[in-house]
Amino acid sequence: MNREKEVILMRKVSTGFVYFFGALGGLLFGYDTGVISGAILFIQKQMHLGSWQQGWVVSAVLLGAVLGAAIIGPSSDRFGRRKLLLLSAIIFFIGALGSAFSPEFWTLIVSRIILGMAVGAASALIPTYLAELSPADKRGTMSSLFQLMVMTGILLAYITNYSFAGMYTGWRWMLGFAAIPAALLFIGGLVLPESPRFLVKMGHIDSAREVLDTMNKHDTKAVDKELSQIQEQAKIVSGGWTELFSKMVRPSLIIGLGLAIFQQVMGCNTVLYYAPTIFTDVGFGVNAALLAHIGIGIFNVIVTAVAVMIMDKVDRKKMLIYGAIGMAASLFVMSFGMKFSGGSHVAAIISVIALTIYIAFFSATWGPVMWVMIGEVFPLNIRGLGNSFSSVINWAANMVVSLTFPSLLDFFGTGSLFIGYGVLCLFAIWFVHAKVFETRNRSLEEIEATLRAKAGETEPASATK
């Protein structure tokens, strides 16, 4: 698309449209990671899979996600956020249909890895894209739409699993259904604007101004100020990997890697995976447990929606710290309940309540805030690379936690294992307090200027800390 057509098109596109389709990849992210929990029950029977093969069917997406975040994400610094988002939509579509029509085990594994590449790319691209499109005072809210879409995708996966559970080929419909939102993402992506930061970096100043004018609701003063700041930062030549590991970027890198790791090792995915088992332990039947799982999904979406609304009203650090406190307390209570749930119906009920509270704290804090912050803290010229590197670490941590969970569960038992995750929540509190700096209500350029000033490279832009 040439620049003149892009400028004309941008004038016709609403901000709501941009944010919705910009975040739509998060729905595919959530759906494709959540749908396998129900589909694997039927895949295992029809393909006669052993436990090792089942594990690979589930974790193939995680392996692909690491590859996608590592390969596709950094390319956005060279080719642009929008083009790579379109590529991700195509990969989502191919992976979904390939999974649905897989005749045997290895075709399914390859298709799931392809699907995972799109998931990883989306996790690396979308937080950066939304952060670069949003005004400073709305960036937290708009960037956290990604996590809201992820939770919506997980809920949609739960509903789809329940809907097709009675069909012999239901798992194929479960996996193939993701092709529909993938097609919508591609169609919407055709009219999405490029990031104004990337446009300035490429020298397309007029196009960048049009995008900023739309996203700032035609506030000329705000557009001029933001464009001037972007142009100043864009003059700095990128050092690639050298700059990512430089003294100046080190505080951002520590934040990105630390938040990515702690989000996983605090047990978020294991608790969600274990939820159906807890419901059956309380006395729910299998169908009732699946319905209860849908209830958890609805609750997740509601809590995340609340987080979206307050994201720019509460400091990021406070949300992370209070979230970790609530998660730790919930895990300790849940562990206590699990230790006695075998002989006590009351203890089992306490476990379910604690699990629900844990999910609420995660969905309102660490779930969205981690993705918001890794899209904010890196300098413009390596923002795609930094976000991608953090996403790779997040997916690698996800894979390690997911693969070790069954063995740790057998060795420690449910009660003791979740105490361990609770202790890691306490370490996360220390990390946030000691290593994370506040980003709320600061422009991306102010954050970068402060980093360079601390490294002795230039004077900081004025900013409210």
Side-chain angles (χ1 to χ4, degrees):
M1 183 183 297
N2 64 46
R3 293 299 161 191
E4 290 183 5
K5 289 183 178 179
E6 190 169 294
V7 168
I8 294 171
L9 188 59
M10 190 61 224
R11 289 170 180 165
K12 299 179 181 179
V13 176
S14 70
T15 56
F17 178 95
V18 171
Y19 290 132
F20 175 79
F21 279 96
L24 186 59
L27 185 142
L28 286 157
F29 175 145
Y31 184 88
D32 288 316
T33 54
V35 73
I36 197 64
S37 63
I40 192 63
L41 299 175
F42 306 96
I43 296 171
Q44 181 270 330
K45 291 180 180 179
Q46 292 183 29
M47 291 191 175
H48 309 289
L49 304 182
S51 57
W52 177 85
Q53 291 173 308
Q54 291 179 57
W56 269 109
V57 170
V58 173
S59 59
V61 162
L62 302 180
L63 175 60
V66 172
L67 296 174
I71 298 170
I72 299 175
S75 301
S76 68
D77 283 333
R78 180 179 180 183
F79 299 107
R81 323 304 188 204
R82 175 178 167 273
K83 289 180 181 177
L84 273 297
L85 196 60
L86 286 169
L87 176 62
S88 298
I90 295 171
I91 297 173
F92 268 123
F93 189 82
I94 294 171
L97 292 185
S99 299
F101 290 102
S102 294
E104 40 75 43
F105 170 73
W106 286 110
T107 306
L108 180 59
I109 292 297
V110 172
S111 297
R112 295 277 294 164
I113 291 175
I114 292 172
L115 196 61
M117 291 183 67
V119 170
S123 70
L125 289 168
I126 295 174
T128 297
Y129 180 69
L130 293 176
E132 292 187 340
L133 280 174
S134 307
D137 61 342
K138 297 178 181 177
R139 192 175 60 245
T141 296
M142 297 310 159
S143 297
S144 58
L145 285 176
F146 173 70
Q147 182 68 13
L148 179 60
M149 282 290 196
V150 171
M151 292 302 169
T152 303
I154 291 174
L155 172 60
L156 185 61
Y158 293 163
I159 294 172
T160 305
N161 285 346
Y162 183 79
S163 300
F164 292 109
M167 294 177 59
Y168 180 74
T169 58
W171 68 270
R172 296 187 183 277
W173 289 94
M174 294 174 190
L175 299 181
F177 187 80
I180 297 175
L184 290 175
L185 175 61
F186 181 82
I187 293 170
L190 291 173
V191 293
L192 283 177
E194 181 53 85
S195 157
R197 270 77 181 176
F198 180 78
L199 290 172
V200 170
K201 183 180 172 183
M202 294 294 105
H204 304 301
I205 307 302
D206 290 340
S207 296
R209 182 182 293 278
E210 287 291 337
V211 176
L212 289 172
D213 186 58
T214 298
M215 304 315 291
N216 284 276
K217 298 187 182 300
H218 312 294
D219 184 340
T220 304
K221 185 177 180 181
V223 170
D224 290 341
K225 178 182 177 182
E226 192 169 356
L227 185 60
S228 175
Q229 290 178 332
I230 296 171
Q231 286 177 293
E232 285 299 313
Q233 298 302 336
K235 293 176 183 177
I236 301 170
V237 178
S238 174
W241 288 100
T242 301
E243 185 174 346
L244 181 64
F245 291 100
S246 68
K247 176 183 176 182
M248 188 272 289
V249 182
R250 192 174 302 150
S252 299
L253 189 62
I254 290 172
I255 291 173
L257 300 189
L259 294 184
I261 292 171
F262 274 114
Q263 191 203 50
Q264 294 299 324
V265 301
M266 291 191 293
C268 60
N269 284 321
T270 58
V271 170
L272 289 172
Y273 296 158
Y274 200 66
T277 304
I278 294 176
F279 286 126
T280 54
D281 287 346
V282 175
F284 284 61
V286 175
N287 284 337
L290 286 174
L291 281 174
H293 213 193
I294 292 175
I296 288 290
I298 294 172
F299 181 69
N300 241 336
V301 172
I302 293 172
V303 172
T304 306
V306 173
V308 169
M309 290 187 287
I310 67 171
M311 187 63 66
D312 287 310
K313 297 179 174 64
V314 181
D315 286 349
R316 317 272 200 256
K317 287 186 66 171
K318 287 183 179 179
M319 292 182 73
L320 291 171
I321 289 172
Y322 291 134
I325 292 172
M327 290 162 67
S330 303
L331 286 171
F332 292 145
V333 172
M334 188 168 70
S335 298
F336 174 82
M338 286 180 173
K339 283 182 177 290
F340 298 99
S341 61
S344 170
H345 185 68
V346 173
I349 292 294
I350 290 173
S351 296
V352 171
I353 294 173
L355 176 144
T356 305
I357 294 173
Y358 170 91
I359 291 174
F361 274 106
F362 174 80
S363 298
T365 58
W366 280 82
V369 173
M370 190 282 289
W371 293 112
V372 169
M373 292 200 73
I374 67 171
E376 295 176 323
V377 296
F378 290 100
L380 170 62
N381 287 318
I382 57 165
R383 188 165 294 137
L385 178 62
N387 203 334
S388 299
F389 191 59
S390 300
S391 297
V392 167
I393 297 301
N394 182 260
W395 284 110
N398 187 338
M399 181 178 290
V400 170
V401 171
S402 299
L403 290 175
T404 59
F405 177 68
S407 300
L408 293 174
L409 188 63
D410 290 339
F411 186 80
F412 291 106
T414 54
S416 299
L417 179 56
F418 284 113
I419 287 176
Y421 291 137
V423 171
L424 288 171
C425 290
L426 299 180
F427 279 107
I429 295 169
W430 168 83
F431 172 79
V432 173
H433 179 75
K435 302 296 183 181
V436 176
F437 57 78
E438 186 56 54
T439 57
R440 183 173 73 92
N441 283 341
R442 301 179 65 191
S443 74
L444 300 177
E445 289 65 43
E446 288 171 345
I447 293 169
E448 180 174 345
T450 300
L451 287 170
R452 295 191 181 280
K454 287 183 178 180
E457 295 186 15
T458 186
E459 292 298 317
S462 58
T464 303
K465 296 184 180 180

